[in-house]
Structures are given as structure tokens and as C-alpha cells.
Amino acid sequence: MLRGLYTAASGMIAQQRKHDIVTNNIANLNTPGFKSGNGINRSFPEILISRVRSGKDEPGSVPVGRINTGVMAEENVSLHAQGDIQETKNPFDFALISDIQVPGARFDSSGKYVDQNGQRVIQPQAFFTILNAAGEQRYSLNGKFSLDANGRLIDSEGHSVLGRDGQPIVLMDAGTPVTNFRMTRTGQFTNAEGQPILGANGQPLTLLITRVEDPNQLVREGNGLYRLNAQDQGAFRPIDAQDQVEVRQGYVERSNVDSSQSMVDMMSALRAYEANQKMIQYYDKSMEKAANEIGRV
């Protein structure tokens, strides 16, 4: 009886986490560059039950069968499909249009390909490169940038946007922030005449667009920022001319959350949660009867 109680409780916990993931998706429906999360559930490992020393003529243990001990919310996987591109006409808004291909792979709408041998290949994705307050590189798709008083290009949280030289981008001309500029498709800053804007080192200012080989290895940090774990640091590099990545000025990438599907997922998680709750109430009443009525006999 208690085994069923624990199974129902594990189902409630898994559905609660799924509900949290879906509500977070809905809350970020209008967040630029947000990638929807998908809660993955899996069963706990099966347990082999054996009958031990049940008779003189039987061996030490006889297999009886297998049981499953419930479900668990394993992970929150992000769906890195391209979101819609929305025009804002703000020169400090940027959107990345990424369609990086891998030889021999034909990716589906979710950015996944499975070859004939069953090997899974994930489509690489491009990200803006951000420097957080601790001086660590982070990755983002929220291209709503602005300039601070020192001409430093920053994101909505005040973090510096990095250039291809690995340094924060500073748009200054004779001590005055540069606001009249253009952006090429490759992420290079130019003036109104189309001439490259040079940085402090004399090199053209260009956005550092990072190619992440497996975006599923990215870890959410909040505020639209992602990081890679130390063991995955070799899984990225700056984009090159062969990568099919385009920067568009005056646009932002909208969230790829499907609002209709999210509402369906939220309601299904709620109904499954209630079903497990009813089962726990049933087991509770059964144990109450066993303890208070049967125990008197």
C-alpha cells in the first residue's frame, strides 16, 4: 500500500515541476530571445523482486518480477528553435538569424537529426556574447541593447556586450557616444557613410557572435543568460564566414513559446496532479481504516 502512496507522491512532484516550467514559459511569452523549456519525465529504475528462502527445495532466492517505483522530473530541456523576427526600428536592437548546417545532417524543426546508426546530432546555434558582473562570458539571444554614459554597449541588465577582440564594445567619438551607426549582416559597426567604426585598438568594431555546437549543454542563469560548464568549454567558437548566421539591426527575436500548446500542457499537468492527489487521499483513508478499525479486531 505504501508503495502506491510513494508512486502517487512522485507523480505529484513531477507534475508540479512540469507546471512550473510551463508557467515560466507563459510568463516569458514576450521576452525577446527566450527559449521555451520542456520538462522531461522518466520512470525511476525498475527493481527486481526476489523470494528469499521460501522453501527447503528452493535456492536462496527466486526471481518474482519487476516493479516500477514511480516517476521523476529528470531535466528541463530548452527548445532552441528560431523565434519570429519582430521589427522595432530601434538601431540598438539586434536579432540573430541562425541556420548553421552540419554536413550530412538534415535537421527537423526542433534542431535535431538522427542518422542511420541512431546517433543524434544537434544543430549548432549562434549567440551574442556577454560579459557579466563577475567578468565571465555568458551567452544570450536578447538583442535589446543600449549605450551607457561611457558609450559602452550593454544589455538590459547592464552587462557589457563583447566584440570579436574579446573586449567590451565602446562606441565613442571625441568623448561623445556614437548613436548614428549601421550594422552589417556579419555584425560589424559602420558609420552613416558605410566606413567601419574602429575601436581603441584600431580594429573595426564587430560583435562577437559565438557558435555553440550543442545548445542543450547550455545552463540557464536567468535574465536571458546562458553559461557552459567547465567540461564543455571546448564546445563553442566564434562564427566564421561559412556559418549561416545573419545579424539584423532594428529587429529582435521573439520568444519561441507556443502559447496555445503551453495552455494545453499546463491544464494536463494540473489534471494529472489532481489525479495523483486523489490516489493519495484514497491510500490515506485505507490506512486510516486499517489502523482504527481492523486493528481493533
Side-chain angles (χ1 to χ4, degrees), residues 124-136:
Q125 298 292 332
F127 293 82
F128 298 110
T129 311
I130 308 297
L131 193 69
N132 66 7
E136 301 168 329

Side-chain angles (χ1 to χ4, degrees), residues 182-240:
R182 298 290 183 270
M183 173 71 65
T184 66
R185 298 165 66 95
T186 58
Q188 186 178 98
F189 291 85
T190 63
N191 56 26
E193 290 75 29
Q195 299 298 319
I197 298 177
L198 304 181
N201 57 4
Q203 298 297 320
L205 286 176
T206 305
L207 287 172
L208 176 57
I209 309 299
T210 299
R211 166 176 167 162
V212 178
E213 299 299 331
D214 186 356
N216 290 334
Q217 294 177 336
L218 292 169
V219 180
R220 293 179 187 263
E221 282 198 341
N223 298 321
L225 297 182
Y226 297 86
R227 65 175 172 84
L228 282 168
N229 291 322
Q231 63 270 23
D232 300 324
Q233 290 301 308
F236 68 95
R237 62 171 175 81
I239 62 169
D240 53 32

Side-chain angles (χ1 to χ4, degrees), residues 98-101 107-108 111-112 121-125 212-213 215:
S98 176
D99 189 22
I100 301 174
Q101 298 298 316
F107 298 108
D108 58 18
K112 182 180 65 176
V121 181
I122 302 299
Q123 185 175 23
Q125 298 292 332
V212 178
E213 299 299 331

Side-chain angles (χ1 to χ4, degrees), residues 21-205:
I21 292 172
V22 174
T23 52
N24 183 62
N25 290 341
I26 296 175
N28 288 279
L29 188 63
N30 295 318
T31 301
F34 180 82
K35 300 302 180 183
S36 62
N38 184 23
I40 303 299
N41 294 339
R42 62 165 295 181
S43 61
F44 282 113
E46 291 183 337
I47 298 176
L48 176 64
I49 299 179
S50 300
R51 185 171 66 247
V52 181
R53 296 178 183 177
S54 59
K56 295 181 180 180
D57 297 332
E58 293 184 355
S61 62
V62 178
V64 175
R66 298 177 181 271
I67 64 169
N68 194 286
T69 55
V71 67
M72 62 178 292
E74 186 177 31
E75 57 182 334
N76 178 7
V77 177
S78 297
L79 177 63
H80 287 274
Q82 178 83 50
D84 295 333
I85 304 302
Q86 181 181 21
E87 185 176 12
T88 65
K89 298 183 179 180
N90 184 343
F92 289 97
D93 287 346
F94 305 98
L96 289 178
I97 301 178
S98 176
D99 189 22
I100 301 174
Q101 298 298 316
V102 175
R106 299 180 62 181
F107 298 108
D108 58 18
S109 59
S110 65
K112 182 180 65 176
Y113 169 74
V114 180
D115 62 16
Q116 297 178 350
N117 299 321
Q119 297 295 322
R120 187 179 65 171
V121 181
I122 302 299
Q123 185 175 23
Q125 298 292 332
F127 293 82
F128 298 110
T129 311
I130 308 297
L131 193 69
N132 66 7
E136 301 168 329
Q137 284 193 10
R138 294 296 183 261
Y139 310 99
S140 174
L141 286 169
N142 187 347
K144 292 193 72 67
F145 300 147
S146 60
L147 288 184
D148 64 8
N150 299 317
R152 188 168 52 99
L153 190 66
I154 58 175
D155 66 1
S156 57
E157 299 297 320
H159 302 135
S160 297
V161 181
L162 293 182
R164 198 169 179 88
D165 58 357
Q167 299 299 317
I169 292 178
V170 179
L171 295 170
M172 294 288 288
D173 183 16
T176 304
V178 177
T179 58
N180 186 18
F181 63 90
R182 298 290 183 270
M183 173 71 65
T184 66
R185 298 165 66 95
T186 58
Q188 186 178 98
F189 291 85
T190 63
N191 56 26
E193 290 75 29
Q195 299 298 319
I197 298 177
L198 304 181
N201 57 4
Q203 298 297 320
L205 286 176

